[in-house]
Amino acid sequence: YPAIKDTADHLHICVPYSNNYVEDVLSWTSQYKPSVLFLHSLVPVGTTNIVIAVLEEKGFTNTTVIHMPPIGEHPLLAEQFVKYLHIMGPSSMEPARMAAEKLVQLGNIKTLAFTSPLETEFASLMYYARIGIDRLFLAYVKEMCRSCGITEAQVAYGWVEIQNRSRIISKIGD
């Protein structure tokens, strides 16, 4: 890893949420003094706005804060960072646009800007909740298939085909 400088133009923080999350973010921001701060964490809705308020209270009025939740598979997040479209919930749109351009320059990292961090915080929680629900449903399907003596792969494949064809037909009708 390259040596960390005393200051950073863009600082990316990706840590699990905890009771000390805001204090930890403040500590790193105080240490590196970034102009743009990316928060890559699943956090309760409203957390980024709390971070913004605390940073402004401490004099970091020129730091743009962007909530950019992690997308990908653990523990491969770093390797997969360039693979997925990332959503950004910025505190300010113009610096967010410039940050998005820089991410494209650095590694063709594509982003979609939402209008606020509240939206990305909520969207990311719903995304991961949906993954959890899908996993529970698939475990249920697997168990039902076993109990009925049928092949789960065929059932799953057939269901995906039905969904895909239904989407195509519904688009034709639009």
Side-chain angles (χ1 to χ4, degrees):
Y1 294 103
I4 296 176
K5 300 183 291 183
D6 290 338
T7 60
D9 184 39
H10 291 70
L11 178 62
H12 295 259
I13 297 176
C14 183
V15 296
Y17 180 79
S18 70
N19 290 336
N20 298 326
Y21 183 82
V22 174
E23 292 80 13
D24 292 341
V25 169
L26 176 61
S27 174
W28 290 314
T29 304
S30 297
Q31 183 176 352
Y32 297 110
K33 301 167 187 64
S35 60
V36 179
L37 173 63
F38 288 93
L39 301 177
H40 301 282
S41 302
L42 291 176
V43 296
V45 175
T47 302
T48 302
N49 284 341
I50 293 169
V51 168
I52 293 166
V54 168
L55 290 176
E56 287 177 354
E57 183 180 292
K58 299 292 184 180
F60 290 95
T61 55
N62 294 326
T63 299
T64 298
V65 181
I66 299 174
H67 179 248
M68 191 175 182
I71 303 292
E73 302 170 44
H74 295 278
L76 305 173
L77 290 175
E79 293 86 6
Q80 294 179 344
F81 191 77
V82 298
K83 182 178 177 181
Y84 297 105
L85 174 71
H86 294 273
I87 58 175
M88 297 191 325
S91 60
S92 176
M93 291 306 285
E94 182 56 25
R97 186 191 60 73
M98 292 186 302
E101 288 174 1
K102 185 161 187 169
L103 288 169
V104 168
Q105 292 170 359
L106 290 173
N108 201 27
I109 299 163
K110 295 186 177 46
T111 59
L112 173 63
F114 284 36
T115 57
S116 82
L118 294 172
E119 294 171 339
T120 55
E121 290 167 341
F122 188 79
S124 60
L125 292 174
M126 294 304 98
Y127 170 80
Y128 283 103
R130 177 61 191 260
I131 289 173
I133 291 167
D134 287 349
R135 287 183 178 167
L136 289 172
F137 177 72
L138 290 175
Y140 172 75
V141 168
K142 186 176 187 175
E143 185 56 38
M144 292 301 295
C145 287
R146 282 187 185 160
S147 70
C148 293
I150 56 179
T151 307
E152 74 180 89
Q154 184 61 34
V155 170
Y157 172 78
W159 184 249
V160 168
E161 281 300 305
I162 290 168
Q163 287 179 317
N164 288 340
R165 290 180 188 189
S166 296
R167 286 187 190 115
I168 291 169
I169 291 169
S170 69
K171 286 182 182 178
I172 292 171
D174 288 344

